[in-house]
Amino acid sequence: MGWERCIGRETLGRDVAVKLLPPHLTLSPEARQRFEREARAIAALSHPNVCALYDVGREGDVDYLVMELLEGELLSKRLANGPLPFEQTPCALMGFVHRDLKPGNVMLTTSGAKLLDFGLAKAFEAQGPAEALTSVSTAEEEVTREGAILGTPPPPPPEPEGRKADTRSDIFAFGAVLYEMATGRKAFQGSSRASRISAIMTAEPEPVSVSQATAPPALDRLVRTCLAKDPEERWQSAHDVARELKWIAAGGSPAEVSAPSPARRGGLKRAAWIAAVLFGIALSVQVFLHLRQPRSGAGTPRALKLSILPPEGKAFQPGSVVLSPDGTRLAFVAPGADGRNVLWIRPLDSLEARPLPGTERAFSPFWSPDGNSVAFMTPDKLKRIDASGGPPQVLCDARVGRGGTWNRDGVIVFSPYPTEGLFRVSAGGGPPAPLTKLDLSRRENSHRWPTFLPDGRHFLFVVRSAQSENRAIYVGSLDSDKTTRLMSGTSNVLYASSPSGSSRGFLLFEHDGWLVARPFDARRLELAGEPIPIAPKVKGSDPLAAGTFTVSETGVLAYGSGTTALRQLAWIDRGDPGPSPGPPPSRAPSPDGKRVALDLVNLEPGGREIWLMELAHGVASRLTAASAAELSPVWSPDGTRIAFATSRGWGSTDIFQTLSSGAGRAEALLKSENRELPTDWSRDGQSLLFERVGMASKSEVWVLPLVGERKPAPVLQAPFNESQAVYSPDGRYIAYVSDESGRQEVYVQTSPLSAAKWRISPDGGSQPQWRRDGSELFYLTPDGRLMAAGVASGFEASSPTLLFRTEAMNQDVVGTASQYAVTSDGRRFLVSSPVDGQRSEPITVVLDWTADLKTP
């Protein structure tokens, strides 16, 4: 075999086998590389069915391995006498594509079977089997300068040219060993290696029953499936093989409906012995599937479940928990020390999570393919940060984005705004480019939650529409603008690979509150089965948010309840707060101060509704009801009408108005292809300020006259984003938010506009509101401070002062309605706060989640 073997005694007194590389082969670089590869392969293993390696070294010009001394008989020699049942496992396949699995490499000893000779093995690297080893069907790699093949590799499996070797290659070899054990002859006959390769590529072996007339049909079926020419038609995992062998060992057969004859019983007993032996092989193959994963997953029980709690006193933000590609770390969003949401990293082998400074107001995180970085959204940017910490890098603008995904070529596909298509951008940053476009004929209003498929070119994404029948999961491509509808649904969806490395994996998504897995062929981009329930309660009360579930490339699954935190409305004055129960934020007070308008999520996927609450007794009633997004309510100065944004009629977001009494039908004020949201109504009732968001999510301030031709006109247009504009009570000024300084700040300009402009907030601010008499301007800072700046005639603003602290503003609301309301005298404020005493639900982590998958 190219090796020299001898028996010796090491310094510890053990009898050992010494394997030498002969001197003439040390001159061959290929032979020495093989020697080093075998040493690494065996050193990586510790298993009772693998011959142990004690030492490796070089003495003079001779390379050697010191190995366990085995006494017994090779399986190949035993099989020369015909088929026999064996009591021990003849081989073990551990984290390797062995490529030399054959009876000649299995030693039968008194203590069991041992696997020998890893000279043709190559360990899987961390990147997985897809990038591991090219099948020997494409080339003979083990050739010396003289042209002699090192070792005696069996003819290779009939993989297509260029196909990477994976576990299914060993399943083919496993089938060949099983056939030889059952029949006493080789599955593919030939007088030379070339003729045997030809037989493998073109011929089918005779059924096992030709040599074993009493063999059950199930054994024939098992062998035929192992030896299928197409890897896709073989058993796809050792788990499949083990299940079949266990059934055969128990005496099962689909043909048996009556008591078998004595001869039949003998055949079953013989087959059961063989099956029991090879069931041990399959169990070792399952160990192989564990050990081919990165070290973090090694040695863990199958389908092991554990719970991950958030940092003390914190809560996971729903839909923002993501596993690293190797399944060793969990990134999630939760409040930091100042109450603002930040990105946290929790290694699964640690009890502590650590926040990443510089990620304030983060949401929708996703990992880089190598697991070294995490990208995340803020209310106005897409950023990335090293997972070990450091300063974040701004990649591009993204206004309240809805998810992203990152491929190995450094391309990020993401949703920059809730009411646009998908964009692509380099992972190094730069201008984003449109990738998908809303189909207005289907009344689409959002493309979101993209996720790459294994090829790194195709991706899944969610299409939302004002029409329920058009809400679906689609497949898109970096190479084409064509998209394909896959199935109905509104949940974010993830692809989970098969443990066998097959192209047939699973789509994970939420359905009726359950996490389900649906078989999916990633190569053909086709569904391959019906949904299988995995776990309940993965969806919160907000149908616009992503489900709380995540899966790694290594078979680790994590999911949470997705429960949305309960909130209450509370009155806070410049002294002590006094809570009053009520709905969550996004509100506008009526001119008389008796009611507040709120936009609330309804139970219809993709929908929001406008509600009115009577502040005196806390009773709320629905004002609008449509299966669309209706948000950003603004009162008319006399309190009789409410303007709001809606997607009920178009794929865009337009402006409608309705009577605050609820009588009559809503009337369209403005329709266009842009996203438009009202922000304030002039005190004379003659005009409406609104925010227009165009391509690349750039926002501008416009005005809509409500008399005459009603032709909208721009008010503030600049290279940066300007939004949330409100009139002063006397109509002479406009307060608004701009990011011209690099972050959101509150500014004031005269109305009509002039060159005069005043910056009000020194360290970040948004959501400006005027006191009814115009003597103060209020705003919120990013860390939850409510500030007031005094305003004098001729517009002289004093330095802002702190009124009180409330919960940090974690991200922009969907829409522009303020997150607080103020009374006309500026003494009391209605804000949203979490209900005390809520229990934070943990995240459940499942290792090897497919092990217990109950297929229908």
Side-chain angles (χ1 to χ4, degrees):
M1 295 179 65
W3 299 102
E4 294 180 0
R5 294 179 172 87
C6 59
I7 298 175
R9 182 175 292 271
E10 64 168 356
T11 56
L12 295 179
R14 290 181 295 192
D15 289 332
V16 295
V18 181
K19 196 171 186 180
L20 307 176
L21 185 66
H24 74 280
L25 289 181
T26 61
L27 301 177
S28 166
E30 294 86 351
R32 296 206 61 198
Q33 288 174 5
R34 175 188 172 186
F35 177 86
E36 293 171 359
R37 183 164 63 248
E38 179 168 7
R40 288 194 301 268
I42 304 175
L45 302 176
S46 177
H47 192 274
N49 295 114
V50 175
C51 182
L53 173 66
Y54 298 142
D55 193 15
V56 60
R58 181 176 176 84
E59 187 71 31
D61 294 331
V62 178
D63 295 278
Y64 64 85
L65 301 176
V66 179
M67 306 182 71
E68 176 185 6
L69 177 63
L70 301 178
E71 296 182 0
E73 183 180 25
L74 288 175
L75 176 59
S76 56
K77 185 176 181 181
R78 176 73 71 88
L79 289 179
N81 297 324
L84 291 174
F86 301 104
E87 299 179 3
Q88 302 295 330
T89 303
C91 63
L93 301 180
M94 314 272 294
F96 292 84
V97 172
H98 187 268
R99 299 198 304 154
D100 201 12
L101 180 59
K102 57 186 180 180
N105 279 339
V106 178
M107 176 73 77
L108 304 177
T109 72
T110 56
S111 61
K114 297 279 188 176
L115 183 61
L116 313 174
D117 199 346
F118 278 75
L120 294 179
K122 179 172 181 178
F124 275 105
E125 305 294 343
Q127 69 267 24
E131 300 178 18
L133 177 66
T134 302
S135 171
V136 292
S137 62
T138 62
E140 290 294 346
E141 298 178 329
E142 307 297 334
V143 180
T144 68
R145 289 194 180 102
E146 292 78 17
I149 296 177
L150 288 177
T152 56
E159 319 296 38
E161 186 171 351
R163 173 72 62 87
K164 302 293 185 181
D166 58 23
T167 59
R168 295 171 299 179
S169 302
D170 276 334
I171 286 175
F172 182 92
F174 171 81
V177 174
L178 172 57
Y179 184 92
E180 192 168 349
M181 289 182 67
T183 66
R185 52 189 173 81
K186 298 186 182 300
F188 301 98
Q189 303 293 326
S191 58
S192 65
R193 178 175 173 80
S195 62
R196 288 187 63 200
I197 291 177
S198 176
I200 289 173
M201 301 301 293
T202 60
E204 296 290 344
E206 291 183 338
V208 172
S209 57
V210 172
S211 299
Q212 293 286 344
T214 57
L219 186 59
D220 248 339
R221 173 177 172 270
L222 175 65
V223 172
R224 284 199 312 273
T225 306
C226 288
L227 297 178
K229 308 296 185 187
D230 184 354
E232 298 293 335
E233 300 303 321
R234 293 178 205 148
W235 301 108
Q236 297 297 297
S237 72
H239 178 71
D240 296 338
V241 179
R243 186 170 53 188
E244 290 293 312
L245 287 169
K246 186 176 181 180
W247 180 59
I248 295 173
S253 172
E256 289 180 21
V257 293
S258 60
S261 65
R264 181 69 167 170
R265 286 195 297 269
L268 286 175
K269 183 177 180 181
R270 185 182 189 82
W273 273 107
I274 296 173
V277 172
L278 290 158
F279 177 62
I281 297 177
L283 290 178
S284 296
V285 176
Q286 292 184 60
V287 176
F288 153 68
L289 291 176
H290 274 288
L291 295 186
R292 75 177 178 90
Q293 312 296 353
R295 285 189 58 188
S296 61
T300 54
R302 298 193 63 86
L304 178 67
K305 295 184 179 181
L306 55 123
S307 292
I308 300 291
L309 292 172
E312 185 175 359
K314 313 296 183 184
F316 296 113
Q317 185 189 68
S320 66
V321 177
V322 286
L323 283 161
S324 60
D326 63 3
T328 64
R329 290 159 294 165
L330 198 68
F332 61 89
V333 174
D338 64 0
R340 285 182 292 177
N341 278 346
V342 296
L343 187 64
W344 297 69
I345 302 294
R346 162 72 186 270
L348 295 188
D349 61 355
S350 170
L351 297 178
E352 299 294 331
R354 56 183 178 82
L356 296 184
T359 62
E360 290 76 14
R361 302 171 73 195
F363 60 97
S364 293
F366 54 97
W367 287 86
S368 63
D370 59 11
N372 292 330
S373 302
V374 182
F376 61 96
M377 305 284 188
T378 68
D380 53 3
K381 302 292 181 185
L382 172 66
K383 299 181 180 182
R384 63 178 287 183
I385 190 171
D386 193 289
S388 60
Q393 174 189 351
V394 174
L395 300 182
C396 63
D397 289 341
R399 301 286 309 282
V400 198
R402 289 296 182 264
T405 185
W406 188 337
N407 75 2
R408 294 187 182 275
D409 297 325
V411 176
I412 289 176
V413 174
F414 70 112
S415 167
Y417 204 87
T419 55
E420 290 190 9
L422 300 178
F423 282 62
R424 62 181 290 172
V425 69
S426 168
L435 187 58
T436 66
K437 185 177 181 180
L438 300 180
D439 188 338
L440 299 186
S441 68
R442 295 198 295 255
R443 296 173 64 185
E444 295 176 1
N445 52 43
S446 178
H447 292 174
R448 56 181 61 185
W449 314 127
T451 182
F452 273 115
L453 289 170
D455 64 5
R457 308 303 296 176
H458 291 89
F459 53 88
L460 305 167
F461 66 100
V462 179
V463 171
R464 291 187 177 270
S465 168
Q467 297 173 322
S468 59
E469 65 271 20
N470 290 327
R471 299 168 189 161
I473 311 300
Y474 276 72
V475 178
S477 172
L478 295 179
D479 306 315
S480 170
D481 58 2
K482 181 182 178 181
T483 61
T484 303
R485 179 176 173 132
L486 193 61
M487 63 181 180
S488 298
T490 58
S491 166
N492 56 309
V493 60
L494 301 176
Y495 176 79
S497 59
S498 168
S500 67
S502 166
S503 66
R504 294 184 180 180
F506 298 92
L507 298 184
L508 297 177
F509 55 95
E510 178 271 333
H511 181 69
D512 289 340
W514 278 77
L515 175 62
V516 300
R518 187 165 189 177
F520 178 73
D521 192 317
R523 185 177 63 179
R524 295 186 173 94
L525 304 178
E526 296 176 351
L527 299 172
E530 294 303 312
I532 307 164
I534 302 298
K537 297 181 181 180
V538 296
K539 190 67 172 179
S541 62
D542 188 346
L544 300 178
T548 305
F549 54 89
T550 175
V551 67
S552 75
E553 296 175 0
T554 57
V556 180
L557 172 69
Y559 57 87
S561 68
T563 302
T564 300
L566 298 177
R567 306 183 66 84
Q568 63 183 4
L569 289 179
W571 281 109
I572 300 179
D573 59 22
R574 297 184 187 226
D576 298 326
S580 174
S586 197
R587 63 195 54 80
S590 63
D592 60 10
K594 295 180 178 180
R595 294 180 292 175
V596 63
L598 309 105
D599 58 38
L600 303 177
V601 174
N602 66 16
L603 298 179
E604 174 69 19
R608 280 180 177 260
E609 299 167 338
I610 308 299
W611 286 64
L612 298 182
M613 171 179 276
E614 301 288 340
L615 292 177
H617 45 75
V619 175
S621 59
R622 182 188 288 111
L623 182 65
T624 66
S627 58
E630 299 193 331
L631 60 159
S632 192
V634 173
W635 290 87
S636 65
D638 60 6
T640 61
R641 290 167 293 164
I642 291 178
F644 60 95
T646 180
S647 61
R648 64 167 66 183
W650 297 66
S652 57
T653 305
D654 304 314
I655 299 176
F656 279 54
Q657 69 171 354
T658 188
L659 295 175
S660 60
S661 65
R665 301 183 62 179
E667 172 195 359
L669 293 178
L670 178 63
K671 290 183 176 182
S672 78
E673 294 184 357
N674 299 294
R675 175 185 181 270
E676 292 152 338
L677 304 107
T679 60
D680 198 21
W681 210 311
S682 66
R683 299 304 177 264
D684 60 9
Q686 300 289 303
S687 62
L688 191 70
L689 285 176
F690 67 93
E691 177 181 329
R692 170 170 284 181
V693 181
M695 292 300 292
S697 301
K698 182 178 176 294
S699 60
E700 302 172 339
V701 174
W702 286 59
V703 64
L704 175 67
L706 298 178
V707 295
E709 297 182 3
R710 294 189 178 182
K711 184 177 181 179
V715 175
L716 295 169
Q717 285 183 312
F720 26 84
N721 295 294
E722 294 172 320
S723 61
Q724 301 178 24
V726 290
Y727 288 112
S728 64
D730 60 11
R732 297 175 58 191
Y733 305 98
I734 293 176
Y736 63 97
V737 174
S738 174
D739 63 2
E740 63 177 284
S741 67
R743 65 178 176 183
Q744 290 187 327
E745 301 283 3
V746 176
Y747 294 82
V748 170
Q749 286 204 43
T750 58
S751 176
L753 296 184
S754 68
K757 181 170 68 173
W758 300 269
R759 176 171 161 177
I760 306 302
S761 59
D763 55 358
S766 66
Q767 301 183 32
Q769 289 198 53
W770 296 89
R771 183 166 164 168
R772 184 64 58 87
D773 60 8
S775 63
E776 284 184 302
L777 183 63
F778 308 106
Y779 67 89
L780 272 174
T781 64
D783 59 355
R785 292 173 291 150
L786 198 143
M787 311 294 291
V791 177
S793 60
F795 201 84
E796 292 183 5
S798 63
S799 296
T801 59
L802 173 66
L803 298 185
F804 56 82
R805 292 180 180 272
T806 183
E807 185 186 31
M809 185 178 63
N810 289 320
Q811 70 178 69
D812 287 353
V813 294
V814 179
T816 57
S818 180
Q819 288 181 274
Y820 66 98
V822 57
T823 57
S824 59
D825 60 4
R827 304 301 302 175
R828 304 186 76 207
F829 299 82
L830 189 66
V831 301
S832 173
S833 62
V835 174
D836 293 336
Q838 295 187 79
R839 184 171 62 91
S840 182
E841 296 294 331
I843 296 296
T844 299
V845 177
V846 186
L847 307 184
D848 295 317
W849 69 275
T850 58
D852 294 337
L853 200 63
K854 300 296 189 297
T855 56

